[in-house]
Amino acid sequence: MGSNAETLEFQTETRQLLRLVIHSIYSNKDIFLRELISNASDALDKLRLESLTDSSLVEDTTDLHIWLEADKDARTLTVRDNGIGMSRDDLVELIGTIAKSGTADLLQKIKESKDTATAESLIGQFGVGFYSAFMVADKVTLRTRRAGTSSGTQWESDGEGVYTIQEVDGLPVGTTVTLHLKPTDSEDGLADYLSESKIRQIVKQYSDFIRWPIRMATEHTSADGETTRDVDTLNSMKALWARPRSEVSEDEYHEFYQQISHDWQAPAETIHMRAEGTFEYEALLFIPSQAPFDLFSRETKPGVQLYVKRVFIMDDCEALMPNYLRFIKGVVDAHDLSLNVSREILQHDRQIRGVRRRLVKKVLGALKDMQAKDAERYTKVWTQFGRALKEGLIEDTDNTDALLELVSAASTHDPEKTTTLRQYVERMKDGQESIYYLTGETRAMVENSPHMEAFTAKGYEVLILTDPVDEVWVDQVPAFDGHRLQSIAKGQVDLDASADGDQETDADKAQREQDFADLLPWLATTLSEQVKQVRLSSRLTTSAACIVGDAHDVAPTLEKMYRAMGQQLPTVKRILELNPTHPLITALRTAHAANADDPALAEIAELVYGSALLAEGGDLPDPARFTRLLTDRLTRAL
């Protein structure tokens, strides 16, 4: 034992903060071992660097490692490293005070906070590291000798108010932290930290990818009952993201993907990136080949894990990936964050927001490359995740253009293959300005819709959109490549202006309007409870009538979705369009001209409206009445 022993007091504010850390802040006490191992890893890094840059430093760096030792008789857990170590002054500065400034301000904020979560968020900004040991220990003894010095130092405290510090001779270079553990208490979250299985579990969860070996002597009992002690390395040290891509095999990537995703299929794409500069990080991301069963469940969480210097911080880090990319799996290892960073801090961290932007662009870029180089593989990925990606067109306005390039949709161009918007634009007719689409529950329902008739007859391609999210994003995206997205079930459609050949003259149109000048207002009055307007249609060729909305009306399917979610919307009346060449409509016009007061005409008007509603997959307001009217008319016709 050396000389110069002293008993010193913690700073007043530090003592108060330490009491909070020990007694009330962290619900997960396992992190103490993560913190101590991380500190040991930093010490090994520093020795390795200093030995390379300081020729006068003569220390053995051939076997840098971290050693764990559990003594059940003494109830102590020891974490030892042969890293850089600390001097006496280092100890006083780094451990005697938690921070050089700002402690009082932080304490005031913690006192003002009303809940533990807020307090934990604040403490995360401050960083506690070494002091988390007092959550599980009645006393902590630290022995250390700095590389390049001959004398060591011992620091000891029970975490209450004072600590002792003294010189110690004969210590090896490095730091040894011995925790005199509190009794196991499951109600207080104090596990049996002397249990080999518990130690292994914590190391595996938080420190598996630390670059230095974490060793521990373990007992093994053979079949004949003989017990031997071996030295085991507890961590894999295989942080693939920290290695150059050229040095990692596809098998290693797939094995790691399976480990973090629990998906036994190979990923569709691997994204390995490194960012250097003011904020350094590495990322290893995977695009799965198959969607998880709970992709659209409310409980689904994002799949990107956050590490700091290879130390695990949290699963499902929402701050790193937007919700529409929740299917992406992988890790991000940031170099410049605190280990105690919280979710709340991450949500508002400027650097993390910058990382998120770059990760999103990298993922979307990888999907774009896949689309260009391997269309078949991209189609499979889009089939699995396209619906989620289209949510990004609603949520992520910064990447609208990139997402639109990725959209793949069924269309009337091919009964089996999908098309991109870019391919659609390349096939557009001369003079066609809009990208036409129609939404519906199924492809068959869309293809058989009356709205499609004129487009099919004149050879215009129409996108067939059957995902529920399609109803939302098409209204929020104004255009693609300068071409407006137009629903063929909304607004006026005039295909004659750009069609080849059979253009209708203005005189023909005027004559037609005059022929129906009496019927249209009468129908509008008769069906005033159901529709806001009745007009002649240019989109029908075989059907008698169809129902359309104004350009900015809420689509019926979207209206149903809102109502199903409990959102009450005002009833939107739509427009009834009539096919002026259909025998039923011309007969109705003739009958109305002969006897406008015939009560049977009002019933026929109801049947025309109801048939149009059914044709688009709508719900009749009074199915029983419609059935009775239809039955009566059929009976009279026989």
Side-chain angles (χ1 to χ4, degrees):
M1 187 70 67
S3 59
N4 210 18
E6 288 185 84
T7 298
L8 304 174
E9 288 190 358
F10 289 107
Q11 286 180 327
T12 303
E13 294 90 349
T14 303
R15 188 163 60 248
Q16 296 173 24
L17 185 57
L18 183 54
R19 196 168 292 124
L20 279 170
V21 172
I22 297 170
H23 298 294
S24 61
I25 295 299
Y26 289 108
S27 56
N28 178 17
K29 293 180 168 54
D30 292 357
I31 65 162
F32 83 91
L33 189 53
R34 177 195 77 179
E35 298 284 345
L36 296 181
I37 290 174
S38 179
N39 289 346
S41 177
D42 287 345
L44 296 172
D45 288 338
K46 289 175 183 176
L47 179 59
R48 179 68 177 272
L49 178 62
E50 201 161 316
S51 67
L52 295 173
T53 57
D54 185 356
S55 58
S56 66
L57 186 66
V58 182
E59 298 293 349
D60 183 8
T61 60
T62 58
D63 185 27
L64 298 178
H65 65 274
I66 300 167
W67 181 266
L68 305 181
E69 184 176 331
D71 186 332
K72 294 186 178 181
D73 294 332
R75 281 201 60 76
T76 59
L77 177 64
T78 298
V79 180
R80 181 183 303 120
D81 68 75
N82 56 347
I84 192 68
M86 289 180 282
S87 66
R88 177 190 178 92
D89 290 342
D90 291 336
L91 277 172
V92 172
E93 180 178 1
L94 298 176
I95 298 183
T97 60
I98 294 183
K100 296 179 180 179
S101 64
T103 316
D105 291 341
L106 178 69
L107 277 171
Q108 185 60 36
K109 291 179 180 178
I110 290 177
K111 290 176 182 178
E112 292 171 357
S113 68
K114 301 298 182 183
D115 59 87
T116 302
T118 304
E120 186 168 338
S121 165
L122 290 166
I123 207 77
Q125 297 177 49
F126 200 70
V128 292
F130 171 78
Y131 285 92
S132 61
F134 287 104
M135 295 189 298
V136 300
D138 289 320
K139 183 173 69 174
V140 176
T141 303
L142 183 153
R143 290 186 165 196
T144 185
R145 177 163 74 89
R146 199 186 194 288
T149 66
S150 58
S151 179
T153 308
Q154 174 177 297
W155 179 100
E156 191 170 74
S157 177
D158 60 5
E160 289 299 322
V162 298
Y163 59 92
T164 61
I165 190 167
Q166 57 189 336
E167 292 183 7
V168 178
D169 297 327
L171 294 182
V173 168
T175 300
T176 300
V177 181
T178 301
L179 282 64
H180 302 264
L181 294 174
K182 298 176 181 179
T184 300
D185 185 347
S186 58
E187 291 186 3
D188 194 33
L190 286 167
D192 181 6
Y193 295 114
L194 297 173
S195 164
E196 179 184 324
S197 61
K198 182 62 178 178
I199 293 172
R200 285 180 179 274
Q201 177 253 311
I202 296 175
V203 171
K204 185 69 176 176
Q205 180 177 358
Y206 293 105
S207 308
D208 193 44
F209 303 116
I210 291 288
R211 75 173 68 192
W212 309 108
I214 303 171
R215 299 171 182 159
M216 184 170 69
T218 57
E219 291 186 353
H220 299 277
T221 304
S222 63
D224 57 6
E226 183 180 355
T227 300
T228 58
R229 289 182 65 83
D230 299 314
V231 174
D232 285 356
T233 298
L234 306 185
N235 60 324
S236 71
M237 296 177 285
K238 292 182 179 179
L240 298 188
W241 61 83
R243 292 160 55 187
R245 181 158 194 162
S246 59
E247 297 179 7
V248 184
S249 69
E250 286 302 310
D251 287 342
E252 287 180 300
Y253 279 132
H254 293 175
E255 181 183 355
F256 181 71
Y257 169 72
Q258 291 170 355
Q259 177 184 339
I260 63 172
S261 69
H262 309 295
D263 177 7
W264 300 110
Q265 297 190 45
E269 187 64 56
T270 300
I271 302 169
H272 194 161
M273 60 183 291
R274 177 192 298 269
E276 297 178 342
T278 56
F279 190 80
E280 296 186 7
Y281 65 92
E282 290 116 6
L284 179 54
L285 306 177
F286 299 93
I287 301 174
S289 55
Q290 182 169 325
F293 71 93
D294 60 347
L295 180 61
F296 297 101
S297 167
R298 289 185 178 181
E299 286 71 35
T300 299
K301 296 180 179 179
V304 177
Q305 301 173 351
L306 175 64
Y307 284 73
V308 172
K309 297 179 183 177
R310 301 196 188 186
V311 177
F312 174 76
I313 303 301
M314 67 180 70
D315 263 321
D316 53 73
C317 185
E318 296 115 337
L320 289 172
M321 200 63 66
N323 186 56
Y324 71 90
L325 292 178
R326 57 189 175 275
F327 57 87
I328 298 296
K329 305 295 182 183
V331 301
V332 173
D333 188 355
H335 294 193
D336 303 308
L337 288 176
S338 163
L339 292 185
N340 300 299
V341 68
S342 69
R343 295 181 187 274
E344 291 80 8
I345 296 170
L346 289 173
Q347 294 292 345
H348 301 96
D349 187 275
R350 179 179 57 81
Q351 292 175 320
I352 288 295
R353 289 200 299 271
V355 172
R356 173 184 170 125
R357 284 193 296 271
R358 289 189 285 274
L359 293 179
V360 170
K361 290 187 180 301
K362 198 72 174 179
V363 170
L364 299 183
L367 288 168
K368 181 63 178 173
D369 289 343
M370 187 192 303
Q371 183 188 59
K373 298 174 182 177
D374 192 340
E376 183 177 351
R377 183 161 57 108
Y378 178 75
T379 298
K380 292 178 180 178
V381 169
W382 179 264
T383 300
Q384 296 293 318
F385 304 108
R387 182 177 162 193
L389 283 164
K390 286 186 284 190
E391 294 173 14
L393 292 166
I394 305 167
E395 304 169 4
D396 188 359
T397 55
D398 291 338
N399 289 295
T400 297
D401 291 342
L403 285 163
L404 284 174
E405 292 283 359
L406 296 175
V407 169
S408 185
S411 87
T412 55
H413 175 71
D414 191 298
E416 296 181 358
K417 294 182 179 179
T418 59
T419 183
T420 65
L421 296 181
R422 180 66 59 194
Q423 292 167 336
Y424 180 102
V425 168
E426 291 171 354
R427 291 192 296 265
M428 286 171 60
K429 283 177 171 287
D430 291 340
Q432 180 181 345
E433 297 181 354
S434 299
I435 297 172
Y436 297 120
Y437 71 88
L438 183 61
T439 59
E441 294 183 12
T442 65
R443 177 174 185 130
M445 184 178 292
V446 172
E447 286 181 323
N448 294 319
S449 169
H451 302 102
M452 294 284 282
E453 293 174 359
F455 291 85
T456 302
K458 295 177 183 288
Y460 283 91
E461 182 177 355
V462 178
L463 298 178
I464 300 171
L465 306 179
T466 56
D467 282 336
V469 69
D470 291 331
E471 295 283 3
V472 185
W473 75 261
V474 290
D475 280 340
Q476 297 202 14
V477 175
F480 171 76
D481 196 25
H483 300 280
R484 184 169 64 92
L485 275 73
Q486 180 178 342
S487 169
I488 64 172
K490 285 186 177 182
Q492 292 276 14
V493 171
D494 186 2
L495 298 182
D496 289 329
S498 57
D500 298 326
D502 57 343
Q503 293 188 346
E504 185 180 44
T505 66
D506 291 340
D508 293 336
K509 290 181 181 180
Q511 182 60 49
R512 204 163 261 172
E513 291 291 341
Q514 183 177 345
D515 292 343
F516 284 86
D518 294 332
L519 180 64
L520 297 181
W522 175 81
L523 279 173
T525 302
T526 303
L527 299 173
S528 60
E529 292 295 319
Q530 290 83 26
V531 301
K532 60 182 173 183
Q533 183 184 355
V534 180
R535 68 190 182 201
L536 297 180
S537 179
S538 61
R539 71 187 92 213
L540 296 173
T541 59
T542 58
S543 297
C546 68
I547 299 174
V548 301
D550 268 340
H552 302 292
D553 280 352
V554 176
T557 308
L558 186 57
E559 187 178 354
K560 285 182 186 177
M561 289 170 54
Y562 283 135
R563 294 189 189 282
M565 293 186 294
Q567 298 185 34
Q568 296 303 316
L569 299 178
T571 301
V572 178
K573 291 183 180 181
R574 300 167 70 207
I575 300 165
L576 179 65
E577 286 194 353
L578 304 179
N579 180 355
T581 64
H582 194 279
L584 175 60
I585 302 304
T586 56
L588 180 59
R589 184 194 68 186
T590 301
H592 177 265
N595 184 7
D597 297 325
D598 185 352
L601 295 182
E603 294 181 352
I604 295 175
E606 284 190 59
L607 289 173
V608 170
Y609 168 76
S611 299
L613 194 60
L614 288 174
E616 70 164 13
D619 298 324
L620 293 168
D622 190 345
R625 175 176 172 79
F626 179 84
T627 303
R628 179 174 58 78
L629 292 176
L630 181 60
T631 303
D632 289 346
R633 300 308 304 176
L634 290 173
T635 301
R636 295 177 192 177
L638 293 175

